[in-house]
Amino acid sequence: MTPTLDHLLAPDIDRQWSDGFILALRLRGVPGHLIGEALAEANDHVRVSGRTAHDVFGPADDYARTLSLPPGRTQSRGRLAASVIPSVLGVAGCALVLWTIRATRAGGEHLITMGALVSTAVILCSLIVFGLAASWFLEQAVHANKALIFVACVVWMALVLAPVWFLRDTIGALPLWTGVGAGVLLLLVSSGMYVTVTAIGDPLTPPVPPADGARLGTLTSTRWIRITLALIFPLVTAILGALFLLV
Amino acid sequence: MNEEKDRTSPEAWPSEWLRGCVELCTLRAIADGPTYGYAIASGLESSGFGSIKGGTLYPLLTRLERAGWVSTTWGAGDGGPGRKFYHLTPAGVDHLAHAASDWTRFANLVTDYLTHPIDERH
């Protein structure tokens, strides 16, 4: 099994502790290279002392808090927003292509209702807000009351679905090739941004470059993450589109 | 029972006493040359200060580095991903000298106060 990057940085630390430590520092906006250093230093102490990370440092979350490492610039809103835009375009492109194909299969043009427009706007705005305050949302997901999270999700789904149900006035129609063409264009722009523009997070980096090539290969694998992300929306659209046409 | 506690054991030092001197003693440990976290902790323990938790030591080292009294370099560890070495900066050397002098005066004051009869002080 290929070891993950955090395991390479802390091979002697219990995986649950290191995962909790990384998550706690990520939620505080600490840059990847500082997390890598803190993890490697903790690993060195654990390795030499022969004790567990929990014995030496206490709970991972408490230790992450007491270290008081500074948040980095990589968490700036502009950068987070830039990383959300490809997802927004991908969702919009996928939805446009599939809705148009389904409407055409049903025997007509894709009729655009006011409700569909409002729902789309709610989804896009939600993605943008999530991108701007991703750390806050993740922190709530980890620490907030689970019942409260469930209620928030139900309210959000109601906000998305209610307009489709109540606002059924048609405000326009989209011919097949116009809808599919616009959707494919959005998908292409989304994929292009994933490959060229988007920063894939802020990867953990080791304080000392690894000596062997195999490990270095694993550490630089974010290029493959970019390519995989770039292919997700087009693949999902192609599979669902084919299903719509065949079924 | 508190009365039965071994008062000669390093673990018996009240934590508020250790909190007052751990920063100074850590700087002193680093002054002997580039060293790393575990070596500092085990050195302090073998000197009689008791076990210094990683959750105390490393945040303290981070604060010393941020204050400019300590600088760090990374080197190869014992087969691990790396080892962080701490060095005193010139500002750290000055601070240690002044703080050690102040501590000695303070410790002497406390000792003097505790060991002389009350009526001899005035």
Side-chain angles (χ1 to χ4, degrees):
Chain A
M1 197 175 85
T2 307
T4 57
L5 182 54
D6 52 323
H7 186 66
L8 290 175
L9 285 168
D12 304 294
I13 292 182
D14 162 49
R15 182 69 184 273
Q16 193 178 356
W17 193 93
S18 64
D19 284 350
F21 183 59
I22 292 167
L23 176 64
L25 291 175
R26 285 288 191 203
L27 291 176
R28 286 170 175 76
V30 176
H33 73 278
L34 289 183
I35 298 176
E37 286 189 5
L39 204 53
E41 186 168 45
N43 185 81
D44 188 45
H45 195 118
V46 166
R47 174 189 288 265
V48 181
S49 68
R51 297 165 64 196
T52 67
H54 194 278
D55 281 349
V56 175
F57 303 102
D61 195 40
D62 290 350
Y63 182 55
R65 182 169 41 76
T66 55
L67 268 182
S68 302
L69 294 175
R73 291 180 190 170
T74 50
Q75 295 298 313
S76 73
R77 289 186 169 190
R79 189 148 177 181
L80 277 170
S83 67
V84 167
I85 289 172
S87 307
V88 172
L89 296 179
V91 169
C94 177
L96 197 54
V97 170
L98 295 178
W99 284 346
T100 308
I101 290 175
R102 201 177 69 168
T104 308
R105 284 280 293 172
E109 291 176 315
H110 175 197
L111 300 178
I112 302 170
T113 65
M114 177 60 83
L117 269 189
V118 173
S119 290
T120 305
V122 170
I123 292 171
L124 296 183
C125 288
S126 302
L127 282 171
I128 291 168
V129 170
F130 181 78
L132 291 174
S135 295
W136 184 85
F137 280 105
L138 287 173
E139 195 156 3
Q140 301 312 308
V142 174
H143 297 299
N145 184 303
K146 299 297 177 247
L148 208 64
I149 294 172
F150 178 76
V151 170
C153 289
V154 169
V155 169
W156 183 80
M157 286 180 72
L159 283 173
V160 171
L161 296 176
V164 178
W165 186 259
F166 292 110
L167 306 174
R168 297 188 178 194
D169 296 341
T170 303
I171 57 171
L174 206 58
L176 172 66
W177 292 114
T178 308
V180 171
V184 168
L185 186 65
L186 288 174
L187 287 170
L188 286 174
V189 173
S190 162
S191 297
M193 286 185 76
Y194 270 128
V195 174
T196 57
V197 178
T198 308
I200 303 300
D202 170 28
L204 304 189
T205 50
V208 180
D212 59 76
R215 287 187 170 192
L216 192 62
T218 308
L219 299 178
T220 55
S221 64
T222 54
R223 185 163 51 96
W224 293 104
I225 298 175
R226 287 168 187 264
I227 293 171
T228 305
L229 282 172
L231 292 174
I232 282 178
F233 285 114
L235 276 177
V236 168
T237 309
I239 291 168
L240 291 178
L243 283 175
F244 283 176
L245 288 172
L246 293 173
V247 178
Chain B
M1 296 288 286
N2 275 347
E3 288 76 15
E4 292 170 2
K5 200 171 177 182
D6 178 10
R7 307 304 294 179
T8 61
S9 159
E11 303 292 349
W13 299 125
S15 59
E16 59 268 32
W17 292 8
L18 291 171
R19 268 201 298 275
C21 68
V22 69
E23 177 181 307
L24 186 56
C25 293
T26 301
L27 280 171
R28 176 64 188 84
I30 299 169
D32 283 339
T35 184
Y36 56 97
Y38 177 75
I40 295 169
S42 56
L44 290 173
E45 186 169 9
S46 62
S47 298
F49 289 97
S51 172
I52 309 293
K53 286 274 188 186
T56 301
L57 179 64
Y58 291 99
L60 168 63
L61 290 169
T62 305
R63 288 199 299 278
L64 295 178
E65 189 178 356
R66 209 170 288 161
W69 296 330
V70 161
S71 63
T72 60
T73 52
W74 280 89
D78 292 337
R83 174 167 288 167
K84 192 176 188 179
F85 290 95
Y86 294 86
H87 323 246
L88 272 196
T89 62
V93 173
D94 281 352
H95 176 74
L96 175 60
H98 285 107
S101 168
D102 288 347
W103 179 270
T104 305
R105 281 175 39 233
F106 179 71
N108 287 339
L109 175 70
V110 173
T111 306
D112 190 48
Y113 188 84
L114 293 175
T115 54
H116 285 75
I118 301 282
D119 52 2
E120 282 184 15
R121 290 187 208 125
H122 300 290

